[in-house]
Amino acid sequence: MDSEITEDRGSAPTVVLGITGCIAAYKACELTRALVRDGVRVKAVMTEAATRFVGPLTLRTLTNEPVAASLWDDPATAPVHHISLAEEADVFLIAPCTANVLAKLATGRADDILTTTALATEAPLVIAPAMNVHMWRDEATQFNLRVLRDRGAIIVEPATGELACGDVGEGRLAELGDILDAVRAELGRVKDLAGVRMLVTAGPTYEPIDPVRFIGNRSSGKTGFYIAEEAARRGADVTLVTGPTHLRDPFGVHTVRVTTAVEMHAVAMEAYETAQVVVASAAVSDFRPAVPSAEKTKKEDAPSAVELVRNPDILAEMGAAKGERTLVGFAAETSEIVAHAREKLAAKSLDLVVANDVGVAGLGFASDRNVVTLVSGEGEKQLSEMSKRALAREICDWLGARQARR
Ligand SMILES: Cc1cc2nc3c(=O)[nH]c(=O)nc-3n(C[C@H](O)[C@H](O)[C@H](O)COP(=O)(O)O)c2cc1C
């Protein structure tokens, strides 16, 4: 037996490697060897079709771990194998990934051990597709890829060249080095915010005019929720203070729900006392009605004007009492985005401003996608259009890198 696979890897990071029914399945063996050489514990999970291309015994030998190739394995050895595998994964890599498994992942199907484990895992999903060029270009495949990317999956794009079927074009499994880089990057992120006490604010605030009417805004809260969830996954101890949204509490996050800016101010400033990192993504209303009516105002009594008063500027207050904390703010702009972000950076003593271009039709507030520039003391980073989940990962990357420098 190979000496590399006999050492104890009890505390090693775990990659669950999904293998599907492609000609390139044999390359999963090389990937396994490289990961094992990195000190990673690899647990292979195979579709039935994959076992026709490469034998489970080969993977069993290379990983020195049992191989999961059926949902219906002996329950004495693996009681609910897909759930234990899902929980053990620090990264879930599927390489190579068929068009078929891409489609199943995009629609949440779970009819074999691989797709059931993928649905059950909280780990980041890295997918390296491999297929014939026409299968790759098919609209259905491209649609499935978009769905998966928007959900936060990392797609390692296939390379272009001669394919096993004789066609030439894109569809070859990416270079193994590129797949390994993507996995290593995800493993590096795994606990880069470990133990960091973090406060995230999110969502709009509702400022009552009377018991049924309010002044609000169109913030969905998604970006803040995704940041809170991603940071918690990376080991941070996260408190999320959110205004009204329809979103569920993120997994592993202490979530406090408030309604008005004044309530958000009270809860956020209390959590601020002990926070080391603050991400203020809430769209806090600047004003509130001076005297909200205790009773619902009748149609015929409609006031000709509603007097407004300023709400507390939570972020400015945090900036004024900043100490050693890292402060991240957001700016929604339609023009001179970077210049306005720089002004905000200085005025509120922020370390990073996520400058959001809300002037682009279909992006921003109500959408799932954003175009942003990260503006900090070190410079600017213009990000391409991406999902809010991917943006959450970028912001946590920035925070993780900053924590590492401290
Ligand atoms: C020789 C051969 C090679 C194949 N190569 C691929 C491939 O590279 N990519 C792909 O998506 N499907 C490929 N297929 C088709 C899949 O094996 C088929 O869709 C199967 O149902 C996939 O099962 P799975 O996705 O559960 O692994 C190939 C089939 C055969 C017979």
Side-chain angles (χ1 to χ4, degrees):
M1 195 180 281
D2 197 324
S3 64
E4 289 156 354
I5 61 174
T6 55
E7 67 202 54
D8 176 20
R9 292 192 294 276
S11 61
T14 299
V15 170
V16 172
L17 170 58
I19 308 166
T20 67
C22 301
I23 286 286
Y26 72 94
K27 294 186 183 171
C29 301
E30 274 309 309
L31 273 174
T32 301
R33 288 180 64 87
L35 287 168
V36 169
R37 240 179 261 128
D38 272 2
V40 171
R41 179 169 169 239
V42 180
K43 298 197 111 181
V45 47
M46 305 176 74
T47 62
E48 196 273 327
T51 63
R52 294 170 181 261
F53 291 87
V54 52
L57 181 61
T58 308
L59 273 308
R60 164 86 182 81
T61 309
L62 292 177
T63 60
N64 201 24
E65 297 280 351
V67 172
S70 165
L71 267 173
W72 316 111
D73 283 338
D74 178 4
T77 51
V80 193
H81 203 176
H82 58 282
I83 300 297
S84 56
L85 271 175
E87 285 170 356
E88 275 175 285
D90 291 307
V91 170
F92 197 117
L93 166 67
I94 305 182
C97 184
T98 53
N100 177 52
V101 164
L102 278 181
K104 287 190 192 176
L105 296 174
T107 51
R109 285 192 62 187
D111 62 357
D112 61 19
I113 181 85
L114 190 154
T115 48
T116 308
T117 309
L119 196 59
T121 193
E122 293 276 327
L125 195 56
V126 178
I127 302 173
M131 65 197 70
N132 164 275
V133 59
H134 303 296
M135 291 169 82
W136 172 254
R137 287 184 189 166
D138 191 277
E139 264 184 50
T141 300
Q142 291 301 316
F143 177 82
N144 292 332
L145 285 162
R146 271 197 302 280
V147 169
L148 291 168
R149 271 197 200 97
D150 282 357
R151 261 187 231 146
I154 292 107
I155 309 290
V156 188
E157 297 270 336
T160 301
E162 194 178 334
L163 305 172
C165 54
D167 282 346
V168 176
E170 57 279 20
R172 276 168 69 99
L173 183 69
E175 292 298 325
L176 299 191
D178 292 342
I179 300 172
L180 290 168
D181 284 351
V183 173
R184 287 174 187 140
E186 287 310 304
L187 287 174
R189 284 183 173 125
V190 164
K191 293 291 172 210
D192 61 354
L193 295 173
V196 174
R197 287 186 305 279
M198 192 159 156
L199 165 64
V200 180
T201 68
T205 61
Y206 287 0
E207 310 299 329
I209 298 171
D210 68 21
V212 297
R213 303 183 179 91
F214 59 85
I215 297 174
N217 63 64
R218 292 200 278 161
S219 165
S220 69
K222 281 182 188 163
T223 302
F225 273 62
Y226 290 150
I227 292 169
E229 191 169 64
E230 174 74 10
R233 208 172 50 72
R234 290 154 79 145
D237 173 6
V238 186
T239 298
L240 171 67
V241 183
T242 177
T245 76
H246 297 296
L247 305 172
R248 278 185 294 117
D249 289 6
F251 182 77
V253 170
H254 174 54
T255 304
V256 185
R257 293 187 183 258
V258 297
T259 304
T260 65
V262 169
E263 288 168 9
M264 182 170 283
H265 174 254
V267 177
M269 290 315 292
E270 193 185 331
Y272 188 66
E273 295 285 318
T274 53
Q276 296 165 298
V277 170
V278 179
V279 178
S281 72
V284 182
S285 177
D286 292 320
F287 308 102
R288 67 177 182 277
V291 190
S293 167
E295 305 274 322
K296 183 182 171 194
T297 309
K298 296 259 179 281
K299 209 181 335 188
E300 36 299 348
D301 300 334
S304 55
V306 176
E307 191 195 340
L308 300 174
V309 291
R310 286 290 297 270
N311 271 327
D313 186 335
I314 301 173
L315 194 51
E317 218 171 290
M318 288 177 172
K322 185 175 166 194
E324 293 297 303
R325 297 177 185 87
T326 298
L327 269 187
V328 178
F330 284 68
E333 306 287 352
T334 50
S335 65
E336 295 190 65
I337 289 153
V338 171
H340 287 135
R342 287 234 161 271
E343 279 166 26
K344 189 162 184 174
L345 194 76
K348 303 202 175 178
S349 306
L350 304 181
D351 300 290
L352 178 70
V353 171
V354 182
N356 197 344
D357 188 347
V358 290
V360 184
L363 299 179
F365 276 130
S367 148
D368 270 334
R369 302 183 72 78
N370 272 109
V371 173
V372 309
T373 308
L374 301 184
V375 180
S376 68
E378 299 102 61
E380 286 128 37
K381 185 176 176 194
Q382 163 81 61
L383 303 181
S384 54
E385 183 192 321
M386 62 176 63
S387 68
K388 289 182 174 175
R389 246 186 221 286
L391 174 61
R393 197 180 302 129
E394 287 278 350
I395 292 168
C396 288
D397 282 353
W398 188 91
L399 290 170
R402 186 175 163 91
Q403 284 304 119
R405 290 199 300 271
R406 298 199 128 193

